[in-house]
Amino acid sequence: MKKVFSLLIFLIAFSSCKNEDKKPVLTTKEPAIVEPVYKYGFKIDDYKVIQDTIKSGESFGEIMDRHHVDYPKINKIAGEIKEVFDVRRVRAGKPYMILASKDSIEEAKVFIYKNDRIRATVVDFKDSIIEAYSYLQPIKTVEKIVEGKIYSNLSNTMDSLHLSPNLTWAVADIYAWTLDFYKLQKGDSFKLVFEEKYINDSLFAGYGNIKSAVFNHKGENLYAFRFIADSIKGIPEYYDEAGNMLRSQFLKSPIKFQYRISSRYNLKRRIAYYGNRVKPHRGTDFAANIGTEILATASGTVTESARRGGNGNYVKIKHNSTYSTQYLHMRKRNVKKGQYVKQGQVIGWVGMTGNTGGPHVCYRFWKHGKQVDPFKQKLPAAEPLKKSLKPKFLDFIAPLKYQLDHNQLKIKEPPVISEVIAQN
């Protein structure tokens, strides 16, 4: 027993000695390198940052005075930058940022006026040289694909997909010549490939281009592909899968959508108010809320803009030697006689002036001086795609069509469909 006890004492002592021989290892941790923060091109750590919003009635001079810039310098700043930035036009509600000195005075050195989420105007007066320039936030563009089914109308469907009305209006513009949104049916569907813009990867900054779309209406696919045919002008247009431009010389309707055709062109219409006698209706009535924008269905020159009798406020436009259009019962006119207007331009607003039982615009259409039904006319299309560009166009839309047909954004090897479509 004594031997075992002695051995145990020896082992404990040996272990203690061994532990004493071990010296602690000291590790040195390198301090983390803090990257400097830059905003609007300035190293923020060098300034005191002040963020605020322009109050009602507040001027640029008052803001600068509050941040310790004297009036002689304020006048100098305003004078030297007036070609780029008119300080008298700062608007209440707009956010701004001031970069001030970090000393006890905290004098303003830079004024940054935020025009919107993406654009800002920088006024730099920290040195002897005063300058003003525009600044664009770095934007990340993300491509998205979405599909929807019509249950009531396009607006409601887009709302249900949490998409902004701006995108709805853009879709309506693309199909304004080829699709009557009033005639959309329950079960019609669509797909869109479009761009969303983000600041700092998270702050939504609006939509980019709609790259392609397809509407399935009455079982027929109506494709739209964004393509720039003239590289010098750089103006994009939308074409179908065969290279036909969607835009035609006339819009389908003088109102974008959310309207109702309350009365069609009918030369044998009987009206109870007139003793059930035949009283021809030589226009098409588009019922809509008072104040709805009325658009010129084609470019041309205003030949009449007046208020007269049963027409109420009306506008008449001559488009060429063949066609003219007229828009009746406006609440207010937005153009004058002799003015040239472009297709889609707002020429007035829906009202109830003249002989009318409800808010609408009576749309009248002349061909060779005779009023006709616009929906029964074979109207001229816009300038077609040049034959020499057709192969390039078909190869360009191949991956876009594949995206829509297969509901995916990324494709490893898009099929070449130009030869197939060309043969068809």
Side-chain angles (χ1 to χ4, degrees):
M1 184 72 178
K2 288 182 179 179
K3 288 182 180 180
V4 174
F5 182 75
S6 299
L7 180 61
L8 182 61
I9 295 295
F10 173 76
L11 289 173
I12 292 171
F14 180 78
S15 176
S16 307
C17 293
K18 197 168 184 181
N19 289 337
E20 286 177 2
D21 290 341
K22 285 183 179 180
K23 294 182 179 180
V25 179
L26 299 176
T27 57
T28 57
K29 195 172 182 179
E30 294 184 4
I33 299 174
V34 179
E35 293 290 335
V37 177
Y38 286 85
K39 286 188 177 181
Y40 300 97
F42 296 92
K43 188 179 177 183
I44 293 300
D45 291 341
D46 293 345
Y47 302 92
K48 176 180 174 58
V49 179
I50 303 160
Q51 300 200 70
D52 206 341
T53 301
I54 295 173
K55 311 296 188 297
S56 178
E58 192 173 42
S59 69
F60 175 79
E62 289 172 319
I63 296 170
M64 291 294 98
D65 179 58
R66 189 165 64 248
H67 292 92
H68 314 293
V69 180
D70 57 39
Y71 271 97
K73 188 167 184 178
I74 294 172
N75 291 333
K76 185 179 180 183
I77 293 169
E80 292 197 14
I81 67 170
K82 63 181 180 182
E83 298 298 326
V84 178
F85 182 62
D86 188 347
V87 299
R88 297 172 300 178
R89 296 188 178 183
V90 294
R91 285 170 45 199
K94 287 288 186 181
Y96 66 87
M97 178 188 290
I98 286 177
L99 305 182
S101 60
K102 296 185 79 171
D103 54 23
S104 58
I105 300 175
E106 295 184 355
E107 179 185 344
K109 299 294 181 181
V110 179
F111 175 77
I112 300 168
Y113 180 77
K114 299 179 183 180
N115 304 82
D116 51 42
R117 287 183 174 184
I118 299 175
R119 297 180 304 114
T121 301
V122 178
V123 181
D124 184 353
F125 47 90
K126 64 181 183 296
D127 300 318
S128 57
I129 299 175
I130 299 170
E131 59 178 341
Y133 53 89
S134 295
Y135 180 90
L136 292 177
Q137 291 272 30
I139 298 295
K140 180 180 180 180
T141 301
V142 179
E143 195 171 278
K144 295 285 185 75
I145 187 168
V146 69
E147 59 180 328
K149 186 168 284 190
I150 302 295
Y151 291 101
S152 56
N153 57 52
L154 177 63
S155 294
N156 289 343
T157 302
M158 296 288 271
D159 287 343
S160 71
L161 296 170
H162 308 292
L163 297 170
S164 163
N166 290 339
L167 191 63
T168 307
W169 288 101
V171 173
D173 284 339
I174 292 171
Y175 284 99
W177 296 270
T178 55
L179 187 61
D180 188 345
F181 286 96
Y182 172 70
K183 292 184 178 178
L184 289 180
Q185 298 178 342
K186 186 177 179 180
D188 286 352
S189 61
F190 62 87
K191 291 181 189 178
L192 309 172
V193 176
F194 61 99
E195 297 171 337
E196 288 184 343
K197 297 179 180 180
Y198 290 89
I199 301 172
N200 298 326
D201 292 333
S202 59
L203 182 61
F204 180 67
Y207 296 105
N209 298 318
I210 296 177
K211 300 182 70 175
S212 60
V214 60
F215 250 96
N216 185 275
H217 176 55
K218 295 182 179 179
E220 180 185 358
N221 282 331
L222 304 173
Y223 286 95
F225 300 100
R226 186 179 186 274
F227 182 69
I228 298 175
D230 191 329
S231 58
I232 297 175
K233 292 181 179 178
I235 301 173
E237 291 282 1
Y238 285 88
Y239 300 83
D240 66 14
E241 74 275 24
N244 301 311
M245 189 184 293
L246 297 193
R247 180 168 60 85
S248 64
Q249 188 169 330
F250 286 88
L251 295 172
K252 285 275 189 181
S253 162
I255 297 174
K256 278 195 174 180
F257 50 84
Q258 291 184 329
Y259 61 84
R260 175 175 58 86
I261 296 181
S262 54
S263 181
R264 292 184 176 273
Y265 181 94
N266 184 357
L267 298 181
K268 297 180 180 180
R269 184 180 67 165
R270 293 182 180 275
I271 303 178
Y273 183 80
Y274 294 102
N276 207 34
R277 288 181 301 171
V278 173
K279 188 174 177 63
H281 185 233
R282 292 185 171 86
T284 304
D285 292 347
F286 292 84
N289 293 332
I290 290 178
T292 301
E293 293 178 341
I294 299 171
L295 314 177
T297 56
S299 301
T301 302
V302 177
T303 55
E304 297 179 51
S305 179
R307 178 165 184 160
R308 188 177 303 133
N311 289 351
N313 278 316
Y314 74 95
V315 169
K316 189 172 183 180
I317 302 170
K318 182 177 181 180
H319 305 289
N320 52 35
S321 59
T322 304
Y323 298 104
S324 294
T325 55
Q326 190 179 21
Y327 313 78
L328 279 57
H329 311 307
M330 294 180 172
R331 183 186 73 176
K332 186 179 178 182
R333 292 169 279 120
N334 194 41
V335 292
K336 296 179 181 179
K337 183 178 179 180
Q339 181 179 339
Y340 180 80
V341 294
K342 292 183 178 180
Q343 185 179 59
Q345 183 174 332
V346 177
I347 58 173
W349 295 270
V350 170
M352 290 180 60
T353 58
N355 295 340
T356 173
H360 74 278
V361 56
C362 178
Y363 177 57
R364 302 198 171 192
F365 196 93
W366 273 265
K367 182 177 181 181
H368 297 301
K370 181 182 178 181
Q371 291 189 59
V372 296
D373 185 351
F375 294 120
K376 293 183 178 179
Q377 305 305 306
K378 188 174 181 181
L379 299 172
E383 186 177 344
L385 192 69
K386 292 180 180 178
K387 288 184 179 180
S388 60
L389 285 175
K390 194 79 173 283
K392 179 183 176 182
F393 167 78
L394 294 175
D395 288 340
F396 173 80
I397 71 166
L400 301 179
K401 189 173 185 298
Y402 190 91
Q403 286 177 331
L404 291 171
D405 293 345
H406 295 82
N407 200 24
Q408 63 182 57
L409 288 176
K410 294 182 180 179
I411 47 180
K412 294 179 181 179
E413 294 182 1
V416 178
I417 61 172
S418 57
E419 293 181 3
V420 177
I421 295 179
Q423 289 173 2
N424 293 339

